[in-house]
Amino acid sequence: YFMNSSRLIITAVSRTTFALVIASLLFACATPVTHQQFDFGSTSITTDNSASNTLKILLAEIQVPTSLEGSAMLYRLQYENAQELRPYAQSRWSMPPAQLLKQRIKTHINQAGGAVLAASDGVKNLPLLKLELEEFSQHFSSPTQSQVQLRWRASLINNNQLIAQKIFQAQTRCESADAKGGAQAMPQATDLAIGELIAWLQTQVTSCAVSNPVRN
């Protein structure tokens, strides 16, 4: 009788444990995974207004490699395999990097008094800026240290002729070695590179105006 009772108790406990395990698995599957989305936040103007308030350009759609077509937040483990781009599983940008960059450039120039237009706006006789975004990721030099890396190629075209071309790049240290740290550092690196871009554009556009004066 005692042995039978023990077997019944063990069987009941086993069934209860099994049921709890199954219930936990079902709950885990039913619980949605929390995803984080990051944007660039507000813009702090660091460019010289006097150098950009007369800047007026056409901005073409920014070209990107296949890896940057989506909104994934990418990183590289330099200490393990620097050639492999990896996406964060639960963190993404609010929009593709090209759109974040384009929006940031327009905001900088517009807030400084300049103007950024698209070819579809129908405005003519303005220099055309073409950008090729090459790098937009977070690099880990160790499991606890990282920095964002940003690089793009800029081409300025006027009257169907290439006026100038230059590569812009910036890097900023991340305060934390995670997606949040990368999301905080990337706008800072972007603002630095945009400041250099605007200074370069102002010089090139001024040269275009001097060499191609408006005739009445």
Side-chain angles (χ1 to χ4, degrees), residues 36-118:
Q36 290 182 300
Q37 282 196 342
F38 298 95
D39 59 19
F40 273 9
S42 60
T43 307
S44 298
I45 296 297
T46 56
T47 53
D48 182 3
N49 284 14
S50 62
S52 54
N53 58 8
T54 59
L55 182 60
K56 295 178 175 59
I57 61 169
L58 295 175
L59 180 58
E61 292 299 321
I62 298 176
Q63 302 300 307
V64 297
T66 304
S67 59
L68 294 176
E69 288 180 348
S71 56
M73 293 185 69
L74 303 175
Y75 65 93
R76 297 178 188 270
L77 301 180
Q78 300 288 94
Y79 58 90
E80 184 175 300
N81 184 0
Q83 293 180 302
E84 182 182 5
L85 268 177
R86 311 181 188 201
Y88 279 103
Q90 298 180 15
S91 299
R92 305 180 68 82
W93 292 114
S94 60
M95 60 183 72
Q99 294 183 33
L100 288 170
L101 177 57
K102 185 176 182 179
Q103 186 180 73
R104 201 72 164 183
I105 291 173
K106 293 176 67 175
T107 299
H108 268 276
I109 295 178
N110 289 340
Q111 289 187 4
V116 180
L117 302 173

